[in-house]
Amino acid sequence: MNNENTPEQVSADHAVSTHVGQEDNHTLRTSRRRFLTGSAAAAGAAAIGFPSIAVAQTTTLRFQSTWPDQDIFHEFAADYVRIVNEMSGGRLELNLLPAGSVVGALELQDAVISGALDGGHGVCAYWYGKHKAYSLFGTPPPFGWDAHQFLAWFWSGEGRGLYNELLEMLELPLVGYLTGPMPTQALGWFKEPISGVEDLEGQKYRTVGLAADLMDEVGAAVTIMGGGDIVPAMDRGLLDGAEFNNPSSDRLLGFPDVSKTWMLRSYHQDCEAFEVMFNRDKFNSLDPEFQAILEYAAKAASSEMYWKAMDRYPKDLQAMREEEGVETYITPDSVLKAQLDAWDKVIDEQSEDAFFKKVIDSQRAYCERVVGWHLEGNAPKNPAYEHFFGRAATDTSKMA
């Protein structure tokens, strides 16, 4: 800008000064310069001192369960997903799919390994074809513990370290956690009540994991299949008997449509837990905060699942009895004793594998200490129940 005054500018300034005065005119110009200078300085400070706020992007993982979408187990998977999404404030989002959306239930692990899925919700017993010890993290022997104590062995004992050792030994690029304590599962659904071990001889029977070896040992002809395939197989006569898990799942899957006889109690799956798994490379690519959320959500969902199960399971059991004509029977002691004897044989045979024996030895030592303390220190429940409710807990079931 040229600072020399032209005659026209001088004349204009003189005209202004006659109305404003030279002193006031100088003040106006000074104030204007200060305003412009100050505004520029403020703008520069804003650009330098206050970085722009980036909009957080959402990391989305494809996450499939091994359960049909109508099963309460898929609902449990949805609860885990909801907890993860809420804890992350929406910055990490699991996109949940039911079994069969990408792969079938028994193909989930391979799909997570390959990257076709980022993660999944299932049970370790489904993978025991890769190593029999896998089932020890899903359906362990009935050493007197319940599912809460089983999960305590995983999280606070040696279980988690052994689980990770198994993944490393098999070179499976996975990260996983156990979650969700499952109560004792029923022996299953049959055409007629099971009154003794001889009634199981030759029966075409569905179960999974080491329970397949166990029931084969007591004489059943075992078939392994995913939950959604069981009722259609029973309807077509491909199965004589089958177990899945609990009153809510079994009712929703349609078992009362193909059988009215449900045998309660069994040692084939005395306790169990779910497994949440992720592709290791995908997991390692996540921020440490997100990795922690995936782990702690497994613990939170574990409690929430059990609380929900305790409310829903007895309601669905009652509904099956009253509305669908289901008769429940208590599995005879002779069958339970035969199962325990069969467990001895299965454990001895599989313990020829060094890693299987390592896990079994850890579980035995844990249960000898923890279950022993629990049984010694806790009052028996049956007498208290009978005292306050005037009947035995088995009064609603028949003896086979």
Side-chain angles (χ1 to χ4, degrees):
M1 177 175 168
N2 189 350
N3 291 325
E4 294 183 2
N5 292 329
T6 65
E8 293 82 1
Q9 289 173 322
V10 171
S11 175
D13 287 344
H14 178 73
V16 170
S17 65
T18 59
H19 296 284
V20 179
Q22 291 186 356
E23 185 175 347
D24 290 341
N25 187 44
H26 175 73
T27 301
L28 281 171
R29 291 178 179 177
T30 302
S31 299
R32 180 171 174 270
R33 283 197 301 271
R34 286 176 178 173
F35 172 78
L36 293 175
T37 303
S39 298
I48 297 172
F50 300 95
S52 60
I53 300 174
V55 178
Q57 295 184 345
T58 297
T59 299
T60 302
L61 305 182
R62 298 183 77 201
F63 189 83
Q64 184 187 297
S65 82
T66 55
W67 321 114
D69 58 4
Q70 74 271 25
D71 184 9
I72 194 173
F73 281 4
H74 188 69
E75 187 177 334
F76 294 154
D79 289 336
Y80 172 76
V81 166
R82 172 181 50 78
I83 292 170
V84 168
N85 295 350
E86 289 179 354
M87 289 177 68
S88 71
R91 292 175 295 123
L92 176 63
E93 184 176 290
L94 301 189
N95 180 19
L96 178 63
L97 304 166
S101 297
V102 177
V103 293
L106 300 183
E107 289 78 47
L108 176 69
Q109 189 190 74
D110 288 339
V112 174
I113 290 172
S114 71
L117 290 164
D118 298 316
H121 184 281
V123 288
C124 288
Y126 279 1
W127 326 129
Y128 101 126
K130 295 187 176 180
H131 197 290
K132 293 295 181 74
Y134 236 124
S135 190
L136 296 176
F137 298 94
T139 56
F143 291 138
W145 53 359
D146 61 21
H148 292 283
Q149 292 159 342
F150 171 51
L151 283 171
W153 168 78
F154 178 83
W155 286 105
S156 299
E158 297 176 337
R160 188 177 183 185
L162 291 169
Y163 173 89
N164 290 332
E165 185 176 339
L166 176 62
L167 295 180
E168 182 177 351
M169 182 179 71
L170 298 179
E171 298 181 346
L172 300 178
L174 298 168
V175 173
Y177 316 108
L178 297 191
T179 181
M182 301 186 210
T184 295
Q185 297 174 38
L187 181 63
W189 299 83
F190 298 89
K191 297 176 181 177
E192 300 290 339
I194 301 299
S195 58
V197 180
E198 62 279 359
D199 292 340
L200 292 170
E201 187 72 31
Q203 287 228 24
K204 294 174 289 185
Y205 177 81
R206 181 271 179 190
T207 189
V208 295
L210 283 173
D213 295 6
L214 179 82
M215 295 304 293
D216 181 71
E217 192 67 43
V218 299
V222 177
T223 297
I224 296 175
M225 62 178 65
D229 299 324
I230 305 172
V231 170
M234 291 187 71
D235 192 41
R236 295 196 301 268
L238 301 178
L239 292 173
D240 300 315
E243 61 80 32
F244 183 67
N245 193 277
N246 64 81
S248 297
S249 290
D250 289 15
R251 185 185 183 204
L252 288 168
L253 290 175
F255 279 90
D257 296 333
V258 295
S259 172
K260 300 298 182 185
T261 300
W262 199 26
M263 303 296 303
L264 303 181
R265 301 185 185 181
S266 180
Y267 281 132
H268 79 288
Q269 290 178 311
D270 191 33
C271 67
E272 190 175 9
F274 294 107
E275 177 194 35
V276 171
M277 74 176 92
F278 296 94
N279 177 281
R280 187 174 63 196
D281 289 341
K282 175 63 71 171
F283 181 89
N284 289 340
S285 72
L286 299 174
D287 291 340
E289 178 189 4
F290 290 165
Q291 295 176 2
I293 286 173
L294 293 176
E295 175 179 335
Y296 284 101
K299 297 177 180 180
S302 192
S303 295
E304 191 168 297
M305 173 238 136
Y306 189 77
W307 302 333
K308 180 181 289 186
M310 289 302 96
D311 180 61
R312 296 267 288 275
Y313 288 2
K315 290 178 180 177
D316 281 313
L317 176 59
Q318 183 178 359
M320 285 193 294
R321 286 169 172 157
E322 296 179 355
E323 300 172 17
E324 301 180 71
V326 170
E327 299 281 358
T328 58
Y329 296 82
I330 299 298
T331 298
D333 289 343
S334 62
V335 174
L336 298 178
K337 177 62 167 62
Q339 288 180 322
L340 292 177
D341 292 340
W343 268 116
D344 287 337
K345 296 179 181 180
V346 170
I347 291 170
D348 288 346
E349 179 180 340
Q350 298 303 326
S351 290
E352 294 179 5
D353 177 87
F355 183 77
F356 188 99
K357 185 177 187 303
K358 184 177 182 179
V359 180
I360 282 289
D361 288 346
S362 174
Q363 292 181 341
R364 278 188 186 274
Y366 183 87
C367 289
E368 185 174 11
R369 174 172 57 89
V370 173
V371 177
W373 169 81
H374 180 82
L375 294 175
E376 182 180 12
N378 282 271
K381 308 306 177 190
N382 283 344
Y385 186 90
E386 293 180 21
H387 173 82
F388 286 105
F389 300 103
R391 62 177 178 84
T394 56
D395 282 356
T396 51
S397 293
K398 300 179 180 180
M399 307 303 293

